Amino acid sequence: MDIEQELLNDITEKANKLLDKIDKQFSRRKKEITDIFSYTYNQPEGIRNIHNKMIHCLLYSHWEGLIKDVMLLFFRFLRKSRLRFNQLKPNFHICAALNQFHSFNGSYALSVNYIRKYFDNSLNLNDLFNCNLDTFCNTKSNLNSEVLEEICYKLGISTKNFETKFNFIDQTLLSTRNAIAHGEERIIASHDLGETKICVFN
């Protein structure tokens, strides 16, 4: 067996393990939501809205948590696969740029210098893929449609299939979660909560 075939087999094995881990994450989160839904439907009407608000926040937490966990699992998979940047799609090259700018301290003047350095010195795409997971896999604790688009770009995923859900993400899932988290008075109908659950897990 040649080296390329060994590498392909190794990556395939790691990819299958990655998919198993993602599936387990999804199943665990969906089961918890399903279980708590069953419990809430048996509650008296007077306290059901309180439970519904709690579940809405939990739905958002699981949605954001799943997306972050998928990112972490995927980029760990890329690192373990020992692929080079030039073997990956161009969207992953941003990691090479970020690695070059690793000492960026947030000031505008310094950022300009680093950007000039970036254009003056081409990236070394022969390096093995690597990225700082803590900074690169960041949902910013406020996963709106704009942040989701950025995440999809990092992962090389097209947003065309769920652009119609952007308004739901911003106005229903996130906005309602923020209002509840800030103690605003909200009525969350059980039917609406059920629709939110379907949108999150489908």
Side-chain angles (χ1 to χ4, degrees):
M1 184 181 297
D2 59 32
I3 296 177
E4 288 188 2
Q5 187 61 47
E6 287 183 3
L7 178 61
L8 179 60
N9 291 344
D10 182 61
I11 292 174
T12 301
E13 182 181 352
K14 286 183 172 66
N16 288 333
K17 290 180 180 178
L18 168 68
L19 293 174
D20 286 342
K21 290 178 181 178
I22 292 174
D23 184 63
K24 288 178 181 178
Q25 280 283 344
F26 180 84
S27 298
R28 175 185 68 81
R29 295 173 185 278
K30 186 174 183 178
K31 182 180 185 304
E32 182 171 311
I33 293 296
T34 300
D35 289 347
I36 199 169
F37 256 83
S38 301
Y39 174 77
T40 298
Y41 282 133
N42 296 324
Q43 296 304 305
E45 187 68 32
I47 63 171
R48 187 173 297 171
N49 188 59
I50 297 173
H51 282 267
N52 286 351
K53 289 193 292 184
M54 293 167 59
I55 293 173
H56 185 97
C57 290
L58 189 61
L59 271 168
Y60 173 85
S61 297
H62 274 311
W63 178 70
E64 179 181 323
L66 179 63
I67 289 176
K68 183 168 185 176
D69 283 345
V70 168
M71 274 201 301
L72 288 168
L73 288 168
F74 181 74
F75 286 113
R76 283 172 184 153
F77 156 75
L78 283 184
R79 292 200 306 193
K80 290 180 180 178
S81 298
R82 297 187 62 78
L83 292 169
R84 301 184 185 280
F85 285 108
N86 57 15
Q87 295 174 297
L88 300 171
K89 293 170 62 177
N91 59 285
F92 296 114
H93 297 174
I94 189 173
C95 293
L98 290 174
N99 291 341
Q100 184 169 316
F101 301 156
H102 69 279
S103 60
F104 169 60
N105 70 357
S107 72
Y108 176 77
L110 188 57
S111 68
V112 171
N113 289 335
Y114 272 98
I115 291 171
R116 289 177 61 186
K117 179 180 178 181
Y118 167 72
F119 283 108
D120 291 341
N121 301 280
S122 59
L123 294 174
N124 185 3
L125 298 179
N126 288 319
D127 286 346
L128 292 174
F129 173 85
N130 193 23
C131 71
N132 185 320
L133 295 178
D134 291 335
T135 57
F136 198 67
C137 300
N138 188 357
T139 58
K140 303 180 181 179
S141 299
N142 208 44
L143 189 48
N144 57 31
S145 59
E146 183 178 350
V147 176
L148 183 60
E149 278 191 287
E150 180 181 313
I151 290 170
C152 287
Y153 175 78
K154 291 177 179 178
L155 293 171
I157 298 173
S158 172
T159 61
K160 289 183 179 180
N161 291 333
F162 49 89
E163 284 178 349
T164 55
K165 289 189 175 182
F166 280 177
N167 187 65
F168 161 79
I169 291 170
D170 293 336
Q171 301 303 320
T172 300
L173 188 60
L174 180 58
S175 178
T176 302
R177 171 263 194 179
N178 288 344
I180 295 170
H182 295 153
E184 294 181 20
E185 185 175 357
R186 289 292 176 99
I187 302 298
I188 308 295
S190 295
H191 175 268
D192 293 339
L193 189 63
E195 292 295 317
T196 300
K197 176 191 172 187
I198 291 172
C199 287
V200 168
F201 285 105
N202 290 334

PDB file of all heavy atoms in Angstrom, residues 135-159:
ATOM      1  N   THR A 135      -9.960  30.772  19.679  1.00  0.00           N
ATOM      2  CA  THR A 135     -10.344  32.018  19.019  1.00  0.00           C
ATOM      3  C   THR A 135     -11.076  31.771  17.704  1.00  0.00           C
ATOM      4  O   THR A 135     -11.975  32.530  17.345  1.00  0.00           O
ATOM      5  CB  THR A 135      -9.098  32.888  18.746  1.00  0.00           C
ATOM      6  OG1 THR A 135      -8.162  32.135  17.967  1.00  0.00           O
ATOM      7  CG2 THR A 135      -8.454  33.315  20.043  1.00  0.00           C
ATOM      8  N   PHE A 136     -10.715  30.709  17.012  1.00  0.00           N
ATOM      9  CA  PHE A 136     -11.311  30.468  15.694  1.00  0.00           C
ATOM     10  C   PHE A 136     -12.707  29.875  15.805  1.00  0.00           C
ATOM     11  O   PHE A 136     -13.581  30.182  14.998  1.00  0.00           O
ATOM     12  CB  PHE A 136     -10.408  29.537  14.881  1.00  0.00           C
ATOM     13  CG  PHE A 136     -10.689  29.559  13.413  1.00  0.00           C
ATOM     14  CD1 PHE A 136     -10.442  30.699  12.650  1.00  0.00           C
ATOM     15  CD2 PHE A 136     -11.190  28.441  12.773  1.00  0.00           C
ATOM     16  CE1 PHE A 136     -10.699  30.731  11.295  1.00  0.00           C
ATOM     17  CE2 PHE A 136     -11.448  28.459  11.409  1.00  0.00           C
ATOM     18  CZ  PHE A 136     -11.198  29.602  10.673  1.00  0.00           C
ATOM     19  N   CYS A 137     -12.938  29.023  16.804  1.00  0.00           N
ATOM     20  CA  CYS A 137     -14.247  28.380  16.991  1.00  0.00           C
ATOM     21  C   CYS A 137     -15.044  29.154  18.028  1.00  0.00           C
ATOM     22  O   CYS A 137     -15.299  28.674  19.132  1.00  0.00           O
ATOM     23  CB  CYS A 137     -14.071  26.930  17.397  1.00  0.00           C
ATOM     24  SG  CYS A 137     -13.181  25.943  16.186  1.00  0.00           S
ATOM     25  N   ASN A 138     -15.421  30.346  17.678  1.00  0.00           N
ATOM     26  CA  ASN A 138     -16.071  31.257  18.614  1.00  0.00           C
ATOM     27  C   ASN A 138     -17.443  31.653  18.085  1.00  0.00           C
ATOM     28  O   ASN A 138     -17.552  32.226  17.003  1.00  0.00           O
ATOM     29  CB  ASN A 138     -15.193  32.506  18.805  1.00  0.00           C
ATOM     30  CG  ASN A 138     -15.714  33.415  19.903  1.00  0.00           C
ATOM     31  OD1 ASN A 138     -16.771  33.158  20.497  1.00  0.00           O
ATOM     32  ND2 ASN A 138     -14.990  34.474  20.187  1.00  0.00           N
ATOM     33  N   THR A 139     -18.488  31.339  18.851  1.00  0.00           N
ATOM     34  CA  THR A 139     -19.846  31.726  18.457  1.00  0.00           C
ATOM     35  C   THR A 139     -20.225  33.103  18.982  1.00  0.00           C
ATOM     36  O   THR A 139     -21.330  33.579  18.745  1.00  0.00           O
ATOM     37  CB  THR A 139     -20.872  30.703  18.977  1.00  0.00           C
ATOM     38  OG1 THR A 139     -20.770  30.617  20.402  1.00  0.00           O
ATOM     39  CG2 THR A 139     -20.621  29.323  18.368  1.00  0.00           C
ATOM     40  N   LYS A 140     -19.330  33.720  19.734  1.00  0.00           N
ATOM     41  CA  LYS A 140     -19.500  35.073  20.275  1.00  0.00           C
ATOM     42  C   LYS A 140     -20.677  35.181  21.242  1.00  0.00           C
ATOM     43  O   LYS A 140     -21.166  36.272  21.512  1.00  0.00           O
ATOM     44  CB  LYS A 140     -19.650  36.091  19.132  1.00  0.00           C
ATOM     45  CG  LYS A 140     -18.465  36.061  18.172  1.00  0.00           C
ATOM     46  CD  LYS A 140     -18.599  37.053  17.038  1.00  0.00           C
ATOM     47  CE  LYS A 140     -17.396  36.952  16.090  1.00  0.00           C
ATOM     48  NZ  LYS A 140     -17.493  37.879  14.941  1.00  0.00           N
ATOM     49  N   SER A 141     -21.141  34.023  21.733  1.00  0.00           N
ATOM     50  CA  SER A 141     -22.240  33.956  22.715  1.00  0.00           C
ATOM     51  C   SER A 141     -23.482  34.705  22.264  1.00  0.00           C
ATOM     52  O   SER A 141     -24.316  35.099  23.082  1.00  0.00           O
ATOM     53  CB  SER A 141     -21.766  34.511  24.078  1.00  0.00           C
ATOM     54  OG  SER A 141     -20.692  33.745  24.569  1.00  0.00           O
ATOM     55  N   ASN A 142     -23.609  34.921  20.987  1.00  0.00           N
ATOM     56  CA  ASN A 142     -24.757  35.646  20.438  1.00  0.00           C
ATOM     57  C   ASN A 142     -24.885  35.231  18.970  1.00  0.00           C
ATOM     58  O   ASN A 142     -24.652  36.008  18.072  1.00  0.00           O
ATOM     59  CB  ASN A 142     -24.531  37.157  20.560  1.00  0.00           C
ATOM     60  CG  ASN A 142     -25.824  37.921  20.674  1.00  0.00           C
ATOM     61  OD1 ASN A 142     -26.728  37.527  21.400  1.00  0.00           O
ATOM     62  ND2 ASN A 142     -25.929  39.010  19.944  1.00  0.00           N
ATOM     63  N   LEU A 143     -25.278  33.986  18.785  1.00  0.00           N
ATOM     64  CA  LEU A 143     -25.188  33.361  17.465  1.00  0.00           C
ATOM     65  C   LEU A 143     -26.310  33.833  16.541  1.00  0.00           C
ATOM     66  O   LEU A 143     -27.305  33.149  16.328  1.00  0.00           O
ATOM     67  CB  LEU A 143     -25.202  31.836  17.611  1.00  0.00           C
ATOM     68  CG  LEU A 143     -24.899  31.011  16.375  1.00  0.00           C
ATOM     69  CD1 LEU A 143     -23.661  31.513  15.654  1.00  0.00           C
ATOM     70  CD2 LEU A 143     -24.730  29.552  16.746  1.00  0.00           C
ATOM     71  N   ASN A 144     -26.121  35.026  15.973  1.00  0.00           N
ATOM     72  CA  ASN A 144     -27.092  35.542  15.008  1.00  0.00           C
ATOM     73  C   ASN A 144     -26.728  35.074  13.603  1.00  0.00           C
ATOM     74  O   ASN A 144     -25.751  34.353  13.395  1.00  0.00           O
ATOM     75  CB  ASN A 144     -27.163  37.074  15.083  1.00  0.00           C
ATOM     76  CG  ASN A 144     -25.810  37.730  14.858  1.00  0.00           C
ATOM     77  OD1 ASN A 144     -24.964  37.219  14.120  1.00  0.00           O
ATOM     78  ND2 ASN A 144     -25.575  38.868  15.496  1.00  0.00           N
ATOM     79  N   SER A 145     -27.510  35.488  12.617  1.00  0.00           N
ATOM     80  CA  SER A 145     -27.297  35.010  11.250  1.00  0.00           C
ATOM     81  C   SER A 145     -25.955  35.464  10.688  1.00  0.00           C
ATOM     82  O   SER A 145     -25.322  34.742   9.907  1.00  0.00           O
ATOM     83  CB  SER A 145     -28.433  35.492  10.341  1.00  0.00           C
ATOM     84  OG  SER A 145     -28.521  36.910  10.339  1.00  0.00           O
ATOM     85  N   GLU A 146     -25.496  36.640  11.089  1.00  0.00           N
ATOM     86  CA  GLU A 146     -24.202  37.144  10.601  1.00  0.00           C
ATOM     87  C   GLU A 146     -23.049  36.266  11.113  1.00  0.00           C
ATOM     88  O   GLU A 146     -22.143  35.913  10.348  1.00  0.00           O
ATOM     89  CB  GLU A 146     -23.999  38.592  11.045  1.00  0.00           C
ATOM     90  CG  GLU A 146     -22.720  39.213  10.522  1.00  0.00           C
ATOM     91  CD  GLU A 146     -22.556  40.663  10.944  1.00  0.00           C
ATOM     92  OE1 GLU A 146     -23.515  41.245  11.478  1.00  0.00           O
ATOM     93  OE2 GLU A 146     -21.456  41.217  10.740  1.00  0.00           O
ATOM     94  N   VAL A 147     -23.097  35.921  12.397  1.00  0.00           N
ATOM     95  CA  VAL A 147     -22.070  35.051  12.968  1.00  0.00           C
ATOM     96  C   VAL A 147     -22.146  33.664  12.327  1.00  0.00           C
ATOM     97  O   VAL A 147     -21.125  33.047  12.035  1.00  0.00           O
ATOM     98  CB  VAL A 147     -22.230  34.939  14.497  1.00  0.00           C
ATOM     99  CG1 VAL A 147     -21.225  33.949  15.085  1.00  0.00           C
ATOM    100  CG2 VAL A 147     -22.050  36.308  15.148  1.00  0.00           C
ATOM    101  N   LEU A 148     -23.366  33.187  12.085  1.00  0.00           N
ATOM    102  CA  LEU A 148     -23.540  31.876  11.467  1.00  0.00           C
ATOM    103  C   LEU A 148     -22.951  31.847  10.057  1.00  0.00           C
ATOM    104  O   LEU A 148     -22.326  30.859   9.662  1.00  0.00           O
ATOM    105  CB  LEU A 148     -25.023  31.513  11.423  1.00  0.00           C
ATOM    106  CG  LEU A 148     -25.342  30.127  10.864  1.00  0.00           C
ATOM    107  CD1 LEU A 148     -24.677  29.031  11.688  1.00  0.00           C
ATOM    108  CD2 LEU A 148     -26.860  29.913  10.816  1.00  0.00           C
ATOM    109  N   GLU A 149     -23.140  32.934   9.311  1.00  0.00           N
ATOM    110  CA  GLU A 149     -22.555  33.008   7.971  1.00  0.00           C
ATOM    111  C   GLU A 149     -21.035  32.910   8.041  1.00  0.00           C
ATOM    112  O   GLU A 149     -20.398  32.247   7.211  1.00  0.00           O
ATOM    113  CB  GLU A 149     -22.958  34.321   7.298  1.00  0.00           C
ATOM    114  CG  GLU A 149     -24.327  34.299   6.657  1.00  0.00           C
ATOM    115  CD  GLU A 149     -24.577  35.497   5.777  1.00  0.00           C
ATOM    116  OE1 GLU A 149     -24.771  36.603   6.337  1.00  0.00           O
ATOM    117  OE2 GLU A 149     -24.565  35.354   4.539  1.00  0.00           O
ATOM    118  N   GLU A 150     -20.442  33.584   9.021  1.00  0.00           N
ATOM    119  CA  GLU A 150     -18.991  33.539   9.190  1.00  0.00           C
ATOM    120  C   GLU A 150     -18.526  32.122   9.515  1.00  0.00           C
ATOM    121  O   GLU A 150     -17.520  31.640   8.978  1.00  0.00           O
ATOM    122  CB  GLU A 150     -18.575  34.497  10.309  1.00  0.00           C
ATOM    123  CG  GLU A 150     -17.084  34.532  10.577  1.00  0.00           C
ATOM    124  CD  GLU A 150     -16.725  35.478  11.708  1.00  0.00           C
ATOM    125  OE1 GLU A 150     -17.221  36.621  11.705  1.00  0.00           O
ATOM    126  OE2 GLU A 150     -15.953  35.068  12.597  1.00  0.00           O
ATOM    127  N   ILE A 151     -19.275  31.442  10.381  1.00  0.00           N
ATOM    128  CA  ILE A 151     -18.940  30.069  10.749  1.00  0.00           C
ATOM    129  C   ILE A 151     -19.036  29.155   9.533  1.00  0.00           C
ATOM    130  O   ILE A 151     -18.162  28.301   9.304  1.00  0.00           O
ATOM    131  CB  ILE A 151     -19.867  29.576  11.876  1.00  0.00           C
ATOM    132  CG1 ILE A 151     -19.541  30.299  13.184  1.00  0.00           C
ATOM    133  CG2 ILE A 151     -19.757  28.059  12.064  1.00  0.00           C
ATOM    134  CD1 ILE A 151     -20.540  30.057  14.295  1.00  0.00           C
ATOM    135  N   CYS A 152     -20.071  29.329   8.751  1.00  0.00           N
ATOM    136  CA  CYS A 152     -20.250  28.503   7.554  1.00  0.00           C
ATOM    137  C   CYS A 152     -19.105  28.709   6.572  1.00  0.00           C
ATOM    138  O   CYS A 152     -18.634  27.754   5.938  1.00  0.00           O
ATOM    139  CB  CYS A 152     -21.584  28.825   6.879  1.00  0.00           C
ATOM    140  SG  CYS A 152     -23.021  28.201   7.789  1.00  0.00           S
ATOM    141  N   TYR A 153     -18.648  29.945   6.452  1.00  0.00           N
ATOM    142  CA  TYR A 153     -17.506  30.201   5.573  1.00  0.00           C
ATOM    143  C   TYR A 153     -16.271  29.466   6.086  1.00  0.00           C
ATOM    144  O   TYR A 153     -15.530  28.853   5.308  1.00  0.00           O
ATOM    145  CB  TYR A 153     -17.220  31.693   5.477  1.00  0.00           C
ATOM    146  CG  TYR A 153     -15.973  31.974   4.660  1.00  0.00           C
ATOM    147  CD1 TYR A 153     -16.006  31.922   3.266  1.00  0.00           C
ATOM    148  CD2 TYR A 153     -14.751  32.242   5.280  1.00  0.00           C
ATOM    149  CE1 TYR A 153     -14.860  32.140   2.520  1.00  0.00           C
ATOM    150  CE2 TYR A 153     -13.596  32.456   4.543  1.00  0.00           C
ATOM    151  CZ  TYR A 153     -13.665  32.416   3.162  1.00  0.00           C
ATOM    152  OH  TYR A 153     -12.519  32.611   2.419  1.00  0.00           O
ATOM    153  N   LYS A 154     -16.041  29.528   7.380  1.00  0.00           N
ATOM    154  CA  LYS A 154     -14.886  28.840   7.960  1.00  0.00           C
ATOM    155  C   LYS A 154     -14.937  27.341   7.680  1.00  0.00           C
ATOM    156  O   LYS A 154     -13.913  26.702   7.442  1.00  0.00           O
ATOM    157  CB  LYS A 154     -14.833  29.083   9.472  1.00  0.00           C
ATOM    158  CG  LYS A 154     -14.493  30.505   9.877  1.00  0.00           C
ATOM    159  CD  LYS A 154     -14.551  30.646  11.390  1.00  0.00           C
ATOM    160  CE  LYS A 154     -14.192  32.061  11.839  1.00  0.00           C
ATOM    161  NZ  LYS A 154     -14.295  32.223  13.311  1.00  0.00           N
ATOM    162  N   LEU A 155     -16.155  26.777   7.726  1.00  0.00           N
ATOM    163  CA  LEU A 155     -16.317  25.345   7.525  1.00  0.00           C
ATOM    164  C   LEU A 155     -16.435  24.960   6.055  1.00  0.00           C
ATOM    165  O   LEU A 155     -16.422  23.772   5.722  1.00  0.00           O
ATOM    166  CB  LEU A 155     -17.562  24.855   8.274  1.00  0.00           C
ATOM    167  CG  LEU A 155     -17.512  24.917   9.801  1.00  0.00           C
ATOM    168  CD1 LEU A 155     -18.888  24.622  10.386  1.00  0.00           C
ATOM    169  CD2 LEU A 155     -16.499  23.931  10.350  1.00  0.00           C
ATOM    170  N   GLY A 156     -16.555  25.956   5.190  1.00  0.00           N
ATOM    171  CA  GLY A 156     -16.712  25.662   3.772  1.00  0.00           C
ATOM    172  C   GLY A 156     -18.108  25.184   3.419  1.00  0.00           C
ATOM    173  O   GLY A 156     -18.298  24.397   2.486  1.00  0.00           O
ATOM    174  N   ILE A 157     -19.109  25.652   4.169  1.00  0.00           N
ATOM    175  CA  ILE A 157     -20.499  25.237   3.961  1.00  0.00           C
ATOM    176  C   ILE A 157     -21.289  26.381   3.331  1.00  0.00           C
ATOM    177  O   ILE A 157     -21.212  27.522   3.789  1.00  0.00           O
ATOM    178  CB  ILE A 157     -21.156  24.847   5.296  1.00  0.00           C
ATOM    179  CG1 ILE A 157     -20.422  23.661   5.922  1.00  0.00           C
ATOM    180  CG2 ILE A 157     -22.632  24.527   5.115  1.00  0.00           C
ATOM    181  CD1 ILE A 157     -20.907  23.313   7.313  1.00  0.00           C
ATOM    182  N   SER A 158     -22.064  26.079   2.306  1.00  0.00           N
ATOM    183  CA  SER A 158     -22.920  27.087   1.684  1.00  0.00           C
ATOM    184  C   SER A 158     -24.120  27.366   2.583  1.00  0.00           C
ATOM    185  O   SER A 158     -24.670  26.463   3.222  1.00  0.00           O
ATOM    186  CB  SER A 158     -23.414  26.595   0.320  1.00  0.00           C
ATOM    187  OG  SER A 158     -24.392  27.476  -0.204  1.00  0.00           O
ATOM    188  N   THR A 159     -24.543  28.622   2.632  1.00  0.00           N
ATOM    189  CA  THR A 159     -25.705  28.999   3.450  1.00  0.00           C
ATOM    190  C   THR A 159     -26.999  29.014   2.644  1.00  0.00           C
ATOM    191  O   THR A 159     -28.057  29.330   3.183  1.00  0.00           O
ATOM    192  CB  THR A 159     -25.502  30.402   4.066  1.00  0.00           C
ATOM    193  OG1 THR A 159     -25.354  31.362   2.998  1.00  0.00           O
ATOM    194  CG2 THR A 159     -24.267  30.436   4.956  1.00  0.00           C
TER     195      THR A 159
END
